[in-house]
Amino acid sequence: MMEFAPKGKATSTTMELAGRRKKHTSWPDGSEMIEEYDIASARLVLRKIRSKSKLGKLSDWKVLLGEAEVKNFDPGRDLIASSNKNPQFIQQDTRTHFQWRIRNIPYDRSVYQLSIDHNRQQIVLRTTNKKYFKRIDVPSMKALGIKLSDKPLSYTHSNETLILQYKKPQKVIEAEIDNSKSEVASTGDKPTKEGSSECKQQ
């Protein structure tokens, strides 16, 4: 798992475009984070991060929430094209649930085993045919000191897509609403116009 521990004082640039408020945060050590909020619902729809190695090389963007942009294969630069048949893990939360989608996973519903590792506080997905295994952290729960439990966890499978859901505790919902509204309203009484931006220190 990519380690993301930025150092120094963050600088943020914000912009409103096509109904979304986009926030780009950077740190002196080269770490970056991009977040996008839907202005109408004040919901976070995308979060991605990248950082520099000890040699100063920027990593690829890692999407923590939302769907990554589709990267077209460039025969002049890329050695191989990634297969669109490989399982794709995407987090797409709703207001009331943490939600993870795994596409291109065609096994029968009975093959999947979903559980909570209470010691490590992770959601664990495995298949009885040993073709797929995944541990899932839920940082929002850890940040608020709330332990995972078995009852809120569920899953469905359709059209080669497995959807995992964990019902958010009310404390998480309230914290996310407060944070999202604060981010969307942070430009003050005069919202930033589409295509313009602002910088501020945090």
Side-chain angles (χ1 to χ4, degrees), residues 31-60:
S31 300
E32 296 176 81
M33 178 168 65
I34 291 177
E35 297 172 301
E36 294 187 10
Y37 293 83
D38 177 78
I39 295 174
S41 64
R43 185 170 64 89
L44 178 65
V45 293
L46 176 70
R47 176 182 285 140
K48 60 182 181 179
I49 58 174
R50 68 176 178 179
S51 57
K52 281 186 177 180
S53 68
K54 292 181 179 179
L55 298 177
K57 182 181 179 181
L58 271 174
S59 67
D60 292 332

Side-chain angles (χ1 to χ4, degrees), residues 185-201:
S186 62
T187 53
D189 295 333
K190 295 182 179 180
T192 310
K193 294 180 180 179
E194 292 198 359
S196 61
S197 63
E198 62 170 10
C199 294
K200 62 180 180 179
Q201 298 289 329

Side-chain angles (χ1 to χ4, degrees), residues 89-179:
F89 182 83
I90 302 164
Q91 184 171 353
Q92 291 182 321
D93 295 347
T94 69
R95 189 184 68 84
T96 57
H97 289 77
F98 296 111
Q99 186 180 97
W100 303 270
R101 292 173 179 261
I102 305 169
R103 296 173 180 165
N104 301 328
I105 190 162
Y107 317 118
D108 291 338
R109 191 181 189 280
S110 60
V111 169
Y112 305 105
Q113 296 181 337
L114 196 59
S115 62
I116 300 291
D117 184 330
H118 293 280
N119 291 328
R120 297 174 66 173
Q121 282 298 292
Q122 292 175 321
I123 297 171
V124 180
L125 171 66
R126 53 170 53 87
T127 58
T128 56
N129 60 9
K130 298 183 179 180
K131 297 290 186 180
Y132 191 84
F133 179 84
K134 184 78 175 178
R135 285 184 172 271
I136 305 170
D137 289 298
V138 190
S140 297
M141 297 279 285
K142 290 183 178 180
L144 293 172
I146 305 173
K147 291 188 178 297
L148 295 170
S149 58
D150 299 290
K151 189 174 181 181
L153 189 61
S154 62
Y155 72 96
T156 59
H157 185 268
S158 179
N159 299 321
E160 298 192 358
T161 298
L162 184 68
I163 301 175
L164 314 180
Q165 290 199 127
Y166 188 96
K167 187 175 181 180
K168 295 177 181 178
Q170 188 60 32
K171 189 175 179 180
V172 171
I173 294 174
E174 292 172 356
E176 290 182 345
I177 290 174
D178 289 344
N179 181 64

